[in-house]
Amino acid sequence: MKIKIRNICCIGAGYVGGPTMSVIADRCPNISVNVVDVNKERISLWNSSNLDDLPIYEPGLAEIIKRCRNKNLIFSNDVEKFISSADMIFISVNTPTKQKGIGAGKASDLKWVEASARQVALFAKGHTIVVEKSTLPVRTAEVIKEILYSKQNLSNNKRCSSTFEVLSNPEFLAEGTAIYDLENPDRVLIGGEDNDAMEALTNIYKNWVPSNKILHTNIWSSELAKLTANAFLAQRVSSINSIGALCEATGADVREVAKAIGYDSRIGSKFLDAGPGFGGSCFKKDILNLVYLSEYFGLKEVANFWNSVVTFNTWHQHRISRLITKKLFGTLSGKKIVVLGFAFKSNTNDTRESAAIQICKNLIEEGAALFIHDPRVNYEQIAKDLNLKPLFLSEKDEKAKLQSLGGYWDNLESLENAFEQADAVLVLTEWAEYKKIDWKDVSNKMRKPSWLFDSRSIIDPKKVENTNINFWRIGDGLQL
Ligand code: NAD
Ligand code: UGA
């Protein structure tokens, strides 16, 4: 039986639901795409007439919203209405690490997925294809199916005729390049048992994705492939960061090592940038989920292997704050450090698990006065992440006075006048605008001896060469 999809509902208007559904709406003008969320504020931002207010910053997203919103793309809090009219429902809700109970600190908390499945069970009509878009532990589809068909939900006679098929269709977009990744995916993965349902989802993607990039697997392979992809990517980052530390100790240069190994086509050149440690909402949580699953199935060595990727990443973040403290004579008390970037990578306003959080906390703990700048992250978010309100200091002289107290942070709206009397500058996010900074000019403003710490390798060493700034960059052993 050929199933034609006319009406899609996506539960969850977050970093995945919003951009993914926008691209589907853009590429499939004959399908009505409705994105629902319980969060009223988020939905009202998605509906804001000012496109700068969209809750997510992604290059290219605002243009699509402008083209499709209120045509075949709706953002709404009316979960019931749009579930009941949908032929296909994507579950794209958050799946963070469980904070308490069995598996706390490792397993995924599936309460939002379960709540979504219960809503679908309650409101869906006719035959509905339910698609797992969230990243989920292996065999979650079984749980979803059980909820959808549970007796409790079928007790209402009107719903008895509802039928469901569950598919896994994990999302591989990366933040900052979400729209590009969605429009040009390396692959689309669809796991399932029912050929008609799989074909219906495949036909949606075929509107813009070449058929040879649409992979079909069994549902468990699809669920596990998503966790595995993130684990492999994170493992590469930890691997290159470990080699970076060794480069600094031995006189090698991590960029040269990365280039040399990246030329090997079996290794490849991508994802070999040493940095302050991986962040983002998913790498850590997905690896910990893999660790939990491995432990659950009695595979202790497998669990230990993957866990080391996460423990190394944490060690690496502490390593960076320790070395900054060491270079600044072992004490940061009363020292001004300008921090460039707080997002976990450039081109996003997302700070979840950003390496900047741990590193800044450590520096504040050492007594530093941090002046934090990020072109896309607002000060409320930074305050939340650091669990510390900023000191809003208007007068410059007052700033200087308070600087001597140390152990606080302030927000920098712009870089104008940011470097006056700074002891150090620390690059934590690779925003393009930081590459353009005139270090000669900055050097004149800083207190001596002054330091530039580049944890992202974005500053051209030549531009710092003839200044009075001491320069450290990640994985650069040439400075020995
Ligand atoms: P998010 O927190 O940005 O968005 C999730 C949204 O779901 C929230 O707005 C929340 O209010 C809403 N929600 C939760 N329960 C709901 C319910 N019962 N009904 C309606 N709305 C509900 O999360 P995200 O970053 O979009 O991630 C979603 C999933 O996608 C996660 O499983 C994540 O691992 C996966 N993923 C994320 C990325 C990424 O780059 N962020 C990439 C690939 C996969
Ligand atoms: C990652 C994956 O790349 C996506 O495929 C996946 O869909 C997504 O997780 C998810 O499941 O959430 P994302 O976290 O958005 O995407 O960003 P990445 O580009 O993967 O970067 C993750 C972290 O690793 C960032 O902190 C980044 O700065 C760091 N990184 C990345 C490096 O330090 N070096 C590199 O070479 C690459």
Side-chain angles (χ1 to χ4, degrees):
M1 181 188 64
K2 213 170 166 59
I3 305 170
K4 184 126 182 73
I5 303 299
R6 291 191 181 80
N7 223 305
I8 286 176
C9 172
C10 173
I11 307 178
Y15 281 87
V16 169
T20 310
M21 293 303 125
S22 300
V23 169
I24 292 183
D26 199 32
R27 299 300 174 125
C28 312
N30 297 326
I31 299 179
S32 293
V33 181
N34 306 294
V35 191
V36 296
D37 203 297
V38 284
N39 185 329
K40 289 207 160 56
E41 195 194 335
R42 215 168 204 186
I43 289 298
S44 86
L45 291 173
W46 278 114
N47 284 322
S48 170
S49 52
N50 181 355
L51 291 174
D52 286 339
D53 287 345
L54 294 179
I56 286 157
Y57 171 70
E58 278 295 338
L61 175 63
E63 289 81 351
I64 299 183
I65 299 286
K66 199 173 165 195
R67 275 201 294 277
C68 302
R69 195 174 58 188
N70 298 330
K71 289 179 188 140
N72 67 329
L73 177 65
I74 304 280
F75 291 95
S76 167
N77 291 117
D78 198 341
V79 179
E80 175 176 348
K81 175 177 161 193
F82 288 110
I83 286 180
S84 64
S85 59
D87 315 304
M88 181 175 275
I89 297 175
F90 287 82
I91 298 183
S92 189
V93 298
N94 34 323
T95 51
T97 304
K98 234 177 138 181
Q99 295 303 322
K100 48 185 182 182
I102 299 168
K106 286 186 190 144
S108 284
D109 192 340
L110 296 180
K111 73 176 173 215
W112 292 275
V113 173
E114 184 176 333
S116 305
R118 286 183 189 280
Q119 284 167 307
V120 175
L122 211 55
F123 303 128
K125 289 185 183 140
H127 184 64
T128 310
I129 299 170
V130 177
V131 184
E132 298 175 340
K133 196 42 130 174
S134 295
T135 303
L136 297 166
V138 192
R139 302 202 79 89
T140 306
E142 212 163 50
V143 178
I144 293 179
K145 219 164 183 176
E146 204 171 313
I147 294 169
L148 294 175
Y149 280 112
S150 66
K151 282 207 180 88
Q152 178 198 334
N153 295 314
L154 290 178
S155 62
N156 176 347
N157 279 341
K158 275 190 210 153
R159 314 278 175 216
C160 281
S161 55
S162 301
T163 53
F164 302 97
E165 202 51 59
V166 180
L167 300 178
S168 159
N169 173 222
E171 185 47 61
F172 296 102
L173 68 80
E175 287 179 32
T177 51
I179 301 301
Y180 178 86
D181 296 342
L182 287 162
E183 290 178 341
N184 311 278
D186 284 348
R187 79 308 208 179
V188 165
L189 180 55
I190 300 175
E193 289 159 354
D194 181 76
N195 287 337
D196 294 331
M198 288 172 82
E199 196 190 335
L201 183 54
T202 303
N203 285 338
I204 292 176
Y205 284 110
K206 269 192 183 165
N207 282 298
W208 76 97
V209 180
S211 300
N212 63 352
K213 289 193 171 182
I214 305 178
L215 310 182
H216 288 180
T217 64
N218 86 31
I219 200 155
W220 319 128
S221 304
S222 172
E223 289 176 335
L224 187 56
K226 172 62 198 177
L227 295 181
T228 308
N230 274 359
F232 269 57
L233 290 169
Q235 174 267 124
R236 265 176 91 93
V237 177
S238 278
S239 296
I240 199 67
N241 283 338
S242 73
I243 298 302
L246 202 54
C247 286
E248 287 168 35
T250 56
D253 183 331
V254 75
R255 285 148 292 272
E256 292 181 351
V257 174
K259 188 172 174 187
I261 64 165
Y263 264 61
D264 185 327
S265 58
R266 294 167 303 173
I267 296 174
S269 60
K270 290 183 182 160
F271 251 73
L272 286 179
D273 293 330
F278 60 76
S281 62
C282 295
F283 277 2
K284 185 174 164 192
K285 107 173 148 58
D286 291 349
I287 294 179
L288 291 175
N289 192 352
L290 207 57
V291 169
Y292 179 72
L293 283 172
S294 307
E295 281 170 354
Y296 180 84
F297 289 106
L299 299 165
K300 192 166 147 269
E301 284 71 16
V302 178
N304 290 346
F305 174 76
W306 287 110
N307 200 39
S308 72
V309 174
V310 174
T311 51
F312 176 83
N313 194 52
T314 309
W315 174 83
H316 180 67
Q317 293 169 4
H318 288 290
R319 179 177 93 81
I320 289 180
S321 48
R322 266 200 308 270
L323 79 81
I324 292 171
T325 310
K326 215 166 137 198
K327 300 255 188 228
L328 297 180
F329 308 121
T331 174
L332 301 184
S333 186
K335 288 184 181 155
K336 173 175 172 178
I337 302 179
V338 175
V339 176
L340 300 180
F342 201 80
F344 80 98
K345 61 188 278 195
S346 61
N347 292 323
T348 177
N349 59 347
D350 196 347
T351 62
R352 291 180 289 181
E353 298 292 338
S354 176
I357 301 173
Q358 189 59 60
I359 294 171
C360 288
K361 276 184 175 172
N362 291 350
L363 298 176
I364 290 173
E365 182 70 23
E366 288 288 345
L370 300 187
F371 288 73
I372 304 176
H373 176 267
D374 191 291
R376 290 282 167 187
V377 182
N378 60 34
Y379 77 85
E380 285 104 332
Q381 187 58 48
I382 300 175
K384 214 161 132 194
D385 290 332
L386 296 179
N387 201 14
L388 190 66
K389 285 198 179 116
L391 282 187
F392 287 114
L393 304 169
S394 47
E395 296 298 324
K396 257 199 239 151
D397 56 348
E398 202 183 337
K399 272 191 187 185
K401 227 188 303 159
L402 275 159
Q403 217 172 293
S404 63
L405 298 173
Y408 70 92
W409 76 279
D410 202 354
N411 187 51
L412 284 175
E413 289 289 342
S414 90
L415 292 181
E416 210 182 324
N417 302 325
F419 304 100
E420 301 288 344
Q421 290 303 305
D423 294 280
V425 180
L426 166 61
V427 180
L428 287 179
T429 312
E430 70 281 23
W431 287 104
E433 64 183 86
Y434 300 149
K435 295 181 190 169
K436 296 182 202 143
I437 293 174
D438 177 349
W439 294 104
K440 257 199 185 124
D441 181 51
V442 171
S443 166
N444 293 334
K445 294 174 176 153
M446 292 176 77
R447 189 162 80 136
K448 305 292 170 310
S450 37
W451 276 91
L452 168 59
F453 298 97
D454 180 8
S455 77
R456 289 286 187 173
S457 268
I458 56 163
I459 309 297
D460 180 353
K462 286 199 192 87
K463 293 192 175 156
V464 192
E465 234 165 46
N466 294 321
T467 68
N468 280 323
I469 299 176
N470 296 301
F471 184 43
W472 172 90
R473 63 177 177 154
I474 192 91
D476 191 347
L478 300 173
Q479 302 157 11
L480 273 181

